[in-house]
Amino acid sequence: LKKDKKTVIFVSHDMAAVREYCDNAVLIDKSEIIFKGTAQEASKEYTKLFLPHIYKAQRDEERAKKHKAAQKGSDDLGKWGAGGVDMSKAVSGKSVYETSDHTVSISYTVTADDGFEDEIIPGITIKDERGQPICGTNSDILQPQQKIRIGKDRNSLVFTWEIPNIFNQGKYTVDPAVLSGTTTDTLQWWDEAVSFRVINEFSAPYPVSPHIKLRTDA
């Protein structure tokens, strides 16, 4: 429709879709237009209004990336953040996963800098070939009651994530991250630390392809 010079009005709470398909956007709250601008700007305002914790994380990420762009040499590995810990040894259980593989395994090591001690929230984000986030999680989502502390007696920890293999065929990259459990600041984010490929004969034209079973009853 856009190629045919048609005007499309797209209404959604999916900010990824808004950014991908829209040129301009308006943000409506309680029947009032509270923001007009580009799709990217409207997406930020939406996140700020309805998802303040995600907005803070995104803002920290943008600030860190700007800082990274100003640096030379030390950030060549794609790592950025406030510091205090360092991630290493990011690996995937297999380089290629097939339909018979029910889970994808990702692991990495977090080591505290000398003198650093804090509660941490490790996490991961998995992105497709276009760089779009497909899924992600962290320890605070999975185990909110379990606090993870690093430093002093436990200077290094290994985290292993078992993710159901619901991915379409293609290549995926993993961004590990570690947040502070006390301030939620991003201590370190590792862009595309590891990748894996999926071969899926049942791939569907959607972001994910879970193992769906069909039953027909007479």
Side-chain angles (χ1 to χ4, degrees):
L1 288 173
K2 291 177 70 176
K3 288 180 181 178
D4 292 337
K5 305 300 181 182
K6 304 292 185 181
T7 298
V8 181
I9 299 177
F10 182 66
V11 182
S12 179
H13 287 278
D14 184 347
M15 291 301 103
V18 169
R19 290 192 299 270
E20 182 173 359
Y21 298 120
C22 300
D23 300 313
N24 298 294
V26 296
L27 180 60
I28 299 174
D29 184 37
K30 298 177 181 177
S31 302
E32 292 186 5
I33 295 177
I34 62 174
F35 181 82
K36 292 182 184 179
T38 66
Q40 188 70 28
E41 291 169 341
S43 174
K44 288 183 179 180
E45 291 299 319
Y46 176 96
T47 305
K48 182 179 180 180
L49 182 63
F50 296 108
L51 303 166
H53 60 293
I54 296 179
Y55 173 78
K56 182 179 183 302
Q58 291 177 343
R59 184 188 60 189
D60 291 344
E61 178 181 349
E62 290 178 356
R63 288 176 176 174
K65 284 185 175 180
K66 288 180 181 179
H67 175 72
K68 173 184 174 181
Q71 302 299 312
K72 294 182 179 180
S74 61
D75 293 320
D76 290 343
L77 294 177
K79 298 177 182 178
W80 55 267
V85 301
D86 182 59
M87 289 182 287
S88 62
K89 302 177 182 176
V91 295
S92 173
K94 300 175 69 173
S95 59
V96 178
Y97 293 89
E98 301 184 38
T99 307
S100 57
D101 297 311
H102 299 302
T103 59
V104 172
S105 177
I106 303 294
S107 66
Y108 57 84
T109 301
V110 177
T111 303
D113 294 345
D114 291 342
F116 179 84
E117 184 179 3
D118 193 6
E119 289 181 1
I120 60 171
I121 303 174
I124 56 169
T125 300
I126 298 179
K127 301 183 296 188
D128 64 14
E129 292 179 340
R130 299 182 302 166
Q132 294 294 323
I134 297 299
C135 64
T137 191
N138 61 45
S139 62
D140 198 41
I141 295 172
L142 298 177
Q143 302 168 342
Q145 304 304 319
Q146 181 179 344
K147 305 303 180 183
I148 302 172
R149 195 163 191 86
I150 197 169
K152 216 172 186 180
D153 298 329
R154 295 197 303 173
N155 190 56
S156 185
L157 297 169
V158 178
F159 298 99
T160 301
W161 309 82
E162 299 289 342
I163 306 105
N165 185 10
I166 59 173
F167 301 101
N168 280 310
Q169 182 156 310
K171 182 181 178 182
Y172 296 85
T173 56
V174 183
D175 291 2
V178 180
L179 308 182
S180 166
T182 55
T183 66
T184 71
D185 289 338
T186 301
L187 300 179
Q188 189 172 83
W189 188 289
W190 192 355
D191 289 321
E192 300 183 359
V194 65
S195 66
F196 61 91
R197 185 168 292 277
V198 173
I199 298 175
N200 186 347
E201 57 185 305
F202 303 110
S203 284
Y206 300 99
V208 294
S209 180
H211 300 162
I212 299 173
K213 295 182 179 180
L214 171 64
R215 185 182 69 202
T216 303
D217 297 319

